[in-house]
Amino acid sequence: MNKDNKYDIVVIGGGHAGIEAAAIAAKMKCKTALLTMDFKTIGVPSCNPSIGGTAKGHLVKEIDALGGAMGFLADQAGIHFKMLNISKGPAIWSPRCQIDKDLYPQVALKYLQSLKYLDLVEGLVKEVKLIKKKIYSIICNNGTELTAKSLIICSGTFLNGKMFTGRDVSVGGRFGEQSSENLSDLLENYGIKRGRLKTGTPPRISAESIDYGRLDIQAGDMNPAPFSYLSNKVENKVLCFQTETNEDVHTELRKGFGDSPMFNGIIKGIGPRYCPSIEDKINRFADRDGHKIILEPEGLNTNSVYVNGFSTSLPKEVQINALRKIRGLKKCEILRYGYAIEYDFFYPYQLKYTLESKILPNLYFAGQINGTSGYEEAACQGLIAGINAAAKIKKLDDLVLKRSDAYIGVLIDDLVNKSTEEPYRIFTSSAEYRLLLRQDNAKYRLCDYAMKYKLIPKERYNQLKSEQNIIEESLFETKNIKIKADDINSYFIQIGETTLIDSTDINTLSKRPGVSLEHLINMTNAKPKSLSSIIKNKELLNILNIEIKYEGYINRQKKEIERFLHNEEKRIPVNFEYNSLSSLSNEAREKLMKIKPESLGQASRISGVTSSDISVIALFLR
Amino acid sequence: MIINDTITALATVPGISGIAVIRMSGDDAVKIVSNCFRGSAPLMEAERNTIHFGKIYSKNYLMDSVLVSVFRNPHSYTGEDTIEISCHGGNTTYSLIIDELISQGARQAEPGEFTKRAFINGKLDLLQAEAVSDMIHSVSVSGSIISARQLHSGISTKIKKFRQILLDACSLVELDSDFSDEDIEIINRKDLKEKAEEVLNFCTSLIESFNSAKIFRSGFYVAIAGFPNSGKSTLFNSLLGRNRAIVSQTPGTTRDYLEESILVSGVAVKLFDTAGLRETEDAIEIEGINFSHSVLSQANIIFVLNDISISEEHSDSLYKKIQEDYLAQKVYLIQNKVDRLPSLPEINKNAYISAKYGEGLPDLFNIIRTEIEKNKANINDILINERHLILLKGAAEAIRRAISELDYLSPNEIIAIELHDAARYFGEMTGQAWNEEVLNNIFSKFCIGK
């Protein structure tokens, strides 16, 4: 550890955001300290034992493309890998893996310890002071004192955390752990506005008490693929199982509604609409007689099983009675009851796109403190905050990803401009240009940014560029290779496709549903350079296939992006007097003055600002 | 930011007229006018919505006796203090007054600037601003009425309703993509297709009504065609009620086409007299015949005139050819010069007229009136303009593609792209989706003074 405790960057909190922020800042050669209550809880998955999923898998791939840790850590701790939505379009294919929840913190700790510029420090923040508007001084309960040029706060659900099970209320940031009270008040004293949110977690049950014979198996993929380019191979080591709730279960649950902190007004924070508790689900979808439940093992050396889809804060006896009415869980034993947690967050409109506070200089916020939900959402913010904090110290440009660059860009743009009323979760539908923002091309989309900040090795960058080249050239080559009708018709008859009359290029042919590009390339005798190399690489071939099949739509989205960027470049002066425009609605005026959008495009995405408000501003700017 | 600098412009058409109206708007409108106005009471204290008689002076030199109307912020068209000066018409008076107002601190307004201010100050929404522009450019009574209706009430309700249907469909598709592994109901593609078809039908019916509504904006076109010397120009003059075309015995007299307007059933009817159609070597006449064809292709009605004194069947081949060449037009064969016949044929196949003596002309007007009424019947209360038409066509295409992608079993994200696209077109129509070009177009169409 640094002798004088003077750092470039101090990261408060060792969750998924904190890990990324600290690691990337250290990689960018800033003297960094990660301050956590307990080394052993670094990277603990508080809720589900999995990383990735619909749209979240995209985030993990993007984090990996920018030199982040999450994908690499998940690969090492992963025990069940699955590409979701494979039956749907390629834009929403999303990788997910189950992780060993005990192993994940271990690999995370080992990874952080291996970083030369990073110190890990234990302590609970008692006081934060900004000295001469330049240096942050952080004083901990245990007497530890640190100073930093930049401070990144990644405190998760620990700010004034309160946990609820039925009428039982306890203080803490996670089961069995204390919460952090001082920090939230300190920040508020600096004029930063806070609110309250709620999230929940389901019960864990013991593996021995489950009747597996009565459940449906959910296996991992045959050929599991890792998240990270740094990982060679991953393996499936466990199975997941599926069951569902029924009317009897719902009846049991309803018995506890009177004692539910969600319904009796004890919990005031607003919960996530999209990851609702089971009591919320049966309340809101009253006509449904069952909800899907997935049983996910929490690790290789534990008998704890996570009951996915059964998040609840109902009283303990209601939880157990209801669970035991579910198929396969008749004799189940609860190891830990589900609970809801309520915590402070800070309104993210107070942030710049770099995640730096608009109110205090060199203070960054990342993760659940910004009102998001999910490990992946937290991690990508940690990464961006870390890169920007380091870039500022190294006098490099800000890193601001646009909505057309990455899901990360979509997420941060939404956070800053859309008022969070509930925990924010990423969706594929949040991304306007999702045919371009796929999980398979994240590494290509972001490699120029990664190289700019030296987040990936030069060789990796060169390799990505050459792969991109092969794909582009192959795309071109497919338009020039024609296949004669006689040569292809027998294949078409075999797969039930309309036969050809004239010879046709393989680009056109492979756009037909059910026609295999690989087959067409293999039929070609004299293969041009790029096609002959791409045919040997399954991954690149798959990308080429997508690029051809959806070429028309991909090109349309590229056109739309041009339009989008045009509006992003229409600058609004910082001192624009919204007050003098009487026709703006009060809500729009208030939001615009609060957020101070940099461009017309940004203004148009602020919730409460209508298109007629934008027209007024646009006319005025001309 | 100076928003309320004072602008001025002539609000009426320049040229010879009884009176001319000069408009002024801005913080200093009243002050500037009162500097050069002498009336019975000082203008500065004038109440809102009052009219004052007085004289306008420039450096003690009397320019005109005028009426000054005073409107006070926000009770005016622009929402600012506004003055309208009614002065005498002619080309010089108003321009001298405007010069004086400018020397007192006003600024010449840009085209559409009054309406732009009304918009910025929340007096009009985008659709209403557009309706103002349509009203100014409308050539018919009904056109203005429909534009006015659009100006005062929300015609966009219907469009908004269908946009909402599209948006709901989009969110269903999105839900299906994002919650596939959770337990929220999966969309039914059959229902989705039905919804898309419902919206498509709405689009196509509006597009059809545009073609009918066109007569209100650009007028109803009636072209007179026929062989040389069949009496086209004579008919043209008779319908017009005055001598406009040169009439002579020499075939090929009309080289160019002539165009004049009359009002029938509240719609501007544009009459076109075309060059006689015949094989000719005369270069000017050939050019004239080419013009004739371009006029015919735009017409709503074509009257093919036959000289019955030659024979009743003399123009049959020409009539047939025109019918075949101009499928979108209503083509009528008209027998002219019945005054030269001893008696009318026993079997009346066609309209029989004497253009020269005005016989049978009411029949022709009836034909025109009937066609206009047919067009009117096609129009519902939504009158769309060219911009709406382009957007509707875009939306219709997007929905058609969405339907074919649905049939093709394409993935959700593709369907979503098309539905979002269609919804965006609808949004641009009502101004719910912001588009810079829309804004530019609407305000660039205005003339100065509006």
Side-chain angles (χ1 to χ4, degrees), chain A residues 247 250 254 281-291, chain B residues 185:
Chain A
E247 266 313 322
H250 299 175
R254 284 195 191 95
K281 280 196 237 180
I282 59 173
N283 210 24
R284 233 185 288 167
F285 307 105
D287 52 332
R288 287 186 66 101
D289 50 12
H291 296 277
Chain B
E185 207 139 332

PDB file of all heavy atoms in Angstrom, chain A residues 247 250 254 281-291, chain B residues 185:
ATOM      1  N   GLU A 247     -52.340 -21.991  -8.877  1.00  0.00           N
ATOM      2  CA  GLU A 247     -53.360 -21.273  -8.107  1.00  0.00           C
ATOM      3  C   GLU A 247     -53.176 -21.462  -6.591  1.00  0.00           C
ATOM      4  O   GLU A 247     -53.352 -20.536  -5.807  1.00  0.00           O
ATOM      5  CB  GLU A 247     -54.771 -21.712  -8.532  1.00  0.00           C
ATOM      6  CG  GLU A 247     -55.389 -20.827  -9.601  1.00  0.00           C
ATOM      7  CD  GLU A 247     -55.275 -19.325  -9.322  1.00  0.00           C
ATOM      8  OE1 GLU A 247     -55.405 -18.912  -8.137  1.00  0.00           O
ATOM      9  OE2 GLU A 247     -55.029 -18.555 -10.257  1.00  0.00           O
ATOM     10  N   HIS A 250     -50.585 -19.198  -5.348  1.00  0.00           N
ATOM     11  CA  HIS A 250     -51.062 -17.812  -5.300  1.00  0.00           C
ATOM     12  C   HIS A 250     -51.970 -17.580  -4.086  1.00  0.00           C
ATOM     13  O   HIS A 250     -51.909 -16.535  -3.441  1.00  0.00           O
ATOM     14  CB  HIS A 250     -51.809 -17.455  -6.596  1.00  0.00           C
ATOM     15  CG  HIS A 250     -50.939 -17.572  -7.824  1.00  0.00           C
ATOM     16  ND1 HIS A 250     -51.398 -17.401  -9.093  1.00  0.00           N
ATOM     17  CD2 HIS A 250     -49.615 -17.851  -7.953  1.00  0.00           C
ATOM     18  CE1 HIS A 250     -50.405 -17.563  -9.962  1.00  0.00           C
ATOM     19  NE2 HIS A 250     -49.310 -17.848  -9.282  1.00  0.00           N
ATOM     20  N   ARG A 254     -51.355 -14.823  -1.177  1.00  0.00           N
ATOM     21  CA  ARG A 254     -52.314 -13.753  -0.878  1.00  0.00           C
ATOM     22  C   ARG A 254     -52.583 -13.633   0.621  1.00  0.00           C
ATOM     23  O   ARG A 254     -52.870 -12.546   1.109  1.00  0.00           O
ATOM     24  CB  ARG A 254     -53.628 -13.978  -1.647  1.00  0.00           C
ATOM     25  CG  ARG A 254     -53.505 -13.624  -3.121  1.00  0.00           C
ATOM     26  CD  ARG A 254     -54.853 -13.481  -3.819  1.00  0.00           C
ATOM     27  NE  ARG A 254     -54.628 -13.404  -5.258  1.00  0.00           N
ATOM     28  CZ  ARG A 254     -54.691 -14.453  -6.082  1.00  0.00           C
ATOM     29  NH1 ARG A 254     -55.026 -15.642  -5.611  1.00  0.00           N
ATOM     30  NH2 ARG A 254     -54.435 -14.308  -7.369  1.00  0.00           N
ATOM     31  N   LYS A 281     -46.469  -9.776  -9.201  1.00  0.00           N
ATOM     32  CA  LYS A 281     -46.890 -10.466 -10.427  1.00  0.00           C
ATOM     33  C   LYS A 281     -48.315 -10.989 -10.287  1.00  0.00           C
ATOM     34  O   LYS A 281     -49.123 -10.820 -11.198  1.00  0.00           O
ATOM     35  CB  LYS A 281     -45.948 -11.632 -10.745  1.00  0.00           C
ATOM     36  CG  LYS A 281     -44.651 -11.210 -11.409  1.00  0.00           C
ATOM     37  CD  LYS A 281     -43.964 -12.401 -12.045  1.00  0.00           C
ATOM     38  CE  LYS A 281     -42.572 -12.566 -11.513  1.00  0.00           C
ATOM     39  NZ  LYS A 281     -41.846 -13.697 -12.092  1.00  0.00           N
ATOM     40  N   ILE A 282     -48.611 -11.654  -9.129  1.00  0.00           N
ATOM     41  CA  ILE A 282     -49.965 -12.225  -9.042  1.00  0.00           C
ATOM     42  C   ILE A 282     -50.997 -11.128  -8.846  1.00  0.00           C
ATOM     43  O   ILE A 282     -52.155 -11.287  -9.183  1.00  0.00           O
ATOM     44  CB  ILE A 282     -50.094 -13.322  -7.959  1.00  0.00           C
ATOM     45  CG1 ILE A 282     -49.744 -12.783  -6.575  1.00  0.00           C
ATOM     46  CG2 ILE A 282     -49.240 -14.512  -8.288  1.00  0.00           C
ATOM     47  CD1 ILE A 282     -50.018 -13.801  -5.495  1.00  0.00           C
ATOM     48  N   ASN A 283     -50.552  -9.999  -8.355  1.00  0.00           N
ATOM     49  CA  ASN A 283     -51.445  -8.865  -8.207  1.00  0.00           C
ATOM     50  C   ASN A 283     -51.743  -8.228  -9.562  1.00  0.00           C
ATOM     51  O   ASN A 283     -52.866  -7.937  -9.910  1.00  0.00           O
ATOM     52  CB  ASN A 283     -50.787  -7.840  -7.285  1.00  0.00           C
ATOM     53  CG  ASN A 283     -51.810  -7.054  -6.509  1.00  0.00           C
ATOM     54  OD1 ASN A 283     -52.922  -7.523  -6.300  1.00  0.00           O
ATOM     55  ND2 ASN A 283     -51.444  -5.858  -6.105  1.00  0.00           N
ATOM     56  N   ARG A 284     -50.678  -8.039 -10.341  1.00  0.00           N
ATOM     57  CA  ARG A 284     -50.806  -7.324 -11.597  1.00  0.00           C
ATOM     58  C   ARG A 284     -51.344  -8.200 -12.729  1.00  0.00           C
ATOM     59  O   ARG A 284     -52.040  -7.733 -13.612  1.00  0.00           O
ATOM     60  CB  ARG A 284     -49.444  -6.744 -11.994  1.00  0.00           C
ATOM     61  CG  ARG A 284     -49.539  -5.263 -12.271  1.00  0.00           C
ATOM     62  CD  ARG A 284     -48.261  -4.692 -12.785  1.00  0.00           C
ATOM     63  NE  ARG A 284     -47.235  -4.602 -11.749  1.00  0.00           N
ATOM     64  CZ  ARG A 284     -45.954  -4.359 -12.040  1.00  0.00           C
ATOM     65  NH1 ARG A 284     -45.572  -4.246 -13.291  1.00  0.00           N
ATOM     66  NH2 ARG A 284     -45.065  -4.249 -11.083  1.00  0.00           N
ATOM     67  N   PHE A 285     -50.940  -9.443 -12.739  1.00  0.00           N
ATOM     68  CA  PHE A 285     -51.443 -10.350 -13.776  1.00  0.00           C
ATOM     69  C   PHE A 285     -52.378 -11.352 -13.112  1.00  0.00           C
ATOM     70  O   PHE A 285     -52.131 -12.559 -13.108  1.00  0.00           O
ATOM     71  CB  PHE A 285     -50.300 -11.069 -14.474  1.00  0.00           C
ATOM     72  CG  PHE A 285     -49.247 -10.137 -15.008  1.00  0.00           C
ATOM     73  CD1 PHE A 285     -48.015 -10.003 -14.377  1.00  0.00           C
ATOM     74  CD2 PHE A 285     -49.496  -9.370 -16.141  1.00  0.00           C
ATOM     75  CE1 PHE A 285     -47.052  -9.134 -14.860  1.00  0.00           C
ATOM     76  CE2 PHE A 285     -48.538  -8.502 -16.631  1.00  0.00           C
ATOM     77  CZ  PHE A 285     -47.310  -8.379 -15.992  1.00  0.00           C
ATOM     78  N   ALA A 286     -53.478 -10.817 -12.560  1.00  0.00           N
ATOM     79  CA  ALA A 286     -54.368 -11.631 -11.725  1.00  0.00           C
ATOM     80  C   ALA A 286     -54.996 -12.781 -12.499  1.00  0.00           C
ATOM     81  O   ALA A 286     -55.347 -13.806 -11.927  1.00  0.00           O
ATOM     82  CB  ALA A 286     -55.450 -10.757 -11.117  1.00  0.00           C
ATOM     83  N   ASP A 287     -55.114 -12.620 -13.832  1.00  0.00           N
ATOM     84  CA  ASP A 287     -55.788 -13.664 -14.601  1.00  0.00           C
ATOM     85  C   ASP A 287     -54.859 -14.817 -14.976  1.00  0.00           C
ATOM     86  O   ASP A 287     -55.309 -15.826 -15.516  1.00  0.00           O
ATOM     87  CB  ASP A 287     -56.402 -13.051 -15.868  1.00  0.00           C
ATOM     88  CG  ASP A 287     -55.391 -12.253 -16.666  1.00  0.00           C
ATOM     89  OD1 ASP A 287     -54.433 -11.729 -16.045  1.00  0.00           O
ATOM     90  OD2 ASP A 287     -55.538 -12.146 -17.895  1.00  0.00           O
ATOM     91  N   ARG A 288     -53.588 -14.690 -14.682  1.00  0.00           N
ATOM     92  CA  ARG A 288     -52.666 -15.783 -15.038  1.00  0.00           C
ATOM     93  C   ARG A 288     -52.646 -16.819 -13.922  1.00  0.00           C
ATOM     94  O   ARG A 288     -52.573 -16.481 -12.750  1.00  0.00           O
ATOM     95  CB  ARG A 288     -51.266 -15.235 -15.266  1.00  0.00           C
ATOM     96  CG  ARG A 288     -51.135 -14.471 -16.555  1.00  0.00           C
ATOM     97  CD  ARG A 288     -49.693 -14.089 -16.761  1.00  0.00           C
ATOM     98  NE  ARG A 288     -48.886 -15.280 -16.963  1.00  0.00           N
ATOM     99  CZ  ARG A 288     -48.490 -15.689 -18.165  1.00  0.00           C
ATOM    100  NH1 ARG A 288     -48.835 -15.029 -19.220  1.00  0.00           N
ATOM    101  NH2 ARG A 288     -47.751 -16.772 -18.278  1.00  0.00           N
ATOM    102  N   ASP A 289     -52.696 -18.086 -14.312  1.00  0.00           N
ATOM    103  CA  ASP A 289     -52.756 -19.107 -13.269  1.00  0.00           C
ATOM    104  C   ASP A 289     -51.385 -19.688 -12.938  1.00  0.00           C
ATOM    105  O   ASP A 289     -51.276 -20.595 -12.119  1.00  0.00           O
ATOM    106  CB  ASP A 289     -53.756 -20.209 -13.630  1.00  0.00           C
ATOM    107  CG  ASP A 289     -53.521 -20.749 -15.030  1.00  0.00           C
ATOM    108  OD1 ASP A 289     -52.464 -20.423 -15.609  1.00  0.00           O
ATOM    109  OD2 ASP A 289     -54.391 -21.474 -15.544  1.00  0.00           O
ATOM    110  N   GLY A 290     -50.328 -19.189 -13.574  1.00  0.00           N
ATOM    111  CA  GLY A 290     -49.005 -19.700 -13.231  1.00  0.00           C
ATOM    112  C   GLY A 290     -47.890 -18.802 -13.729  1.00  0.00           C
ATOM    113  O   GLY A 290     -48.054 -18.081 -14.707  1.00  0.00           O
ATOM    114  N   HIS A 291     -46.769 -18.792 -13.011  1.00  0.00           N
ATOM    115  CA  HIS A 291     -45.595 -18.033 -13.435  1.00  0.00           C
ATOM    116  C   HIS A 291     -44.387 -18.962 -13.412  1.00  0.00           C
ATOM    117  O   HIS A 291     -44.256 -19.808 -12.534  1.00  0.00           O
ATOM    118  CB  HIS A 291     -45.358 -16.842 -12.505  1.00  0.00           C
ATOM    119  CG  HIS A 291     -46.462 -15.831 -12.540  1.00  0.00           C
ATOM    120  ND1 HIS A 291     -46.551 -14.850 -13.484  1.00  0.00           N
ATOM    121  CD2 HIS A 291     -47.557 -15.694 -11.747  1.00  0.00           C
ATOM    122  CE1 HIS A 291     -47.640 -14.122 -13.273  1.00  0.00           C
ATOM    123  NE2 HIS A 291     -48.272 -14.616 -12.227  1.00  0.00           N
TER     124      HIS A 291
ATOM    125  N   GLU B 185     -47.027 -12.586 -21.494  1.00  0.00           N
ATOM    126  CA  GLU B 185     -47.689 -13.155 -22.663  1.00  0.00           C
ATOM    127  C   GLU B 185     -46.978 -12.827 -23.966  1.00  0.00           C
ATOM    128  O   GLU B 185     -46.584 -11.708 -24.218  1.00  0.00           O
ATOM    129  CB  GLU B 185     -49.125 -12.637 -22.728  1.00  0.00           C
ATOM    130  CG  GLU B 185     -50.022 -13.593 -23.442  1.00  0.00           C
ATOM    131  CD  GLU B 185     -51.367 -13.681 -22.722  1.00  0.00           C
ATOM    132  OE1 GLU B 185     -51.402 -13.458 -21.501  1.00  0.00           O
ATOM    133  OE2 GLU B 185     -52.349 -13.962 -23.385  1.00  0.00           O
TER     134      GLU B 185
END
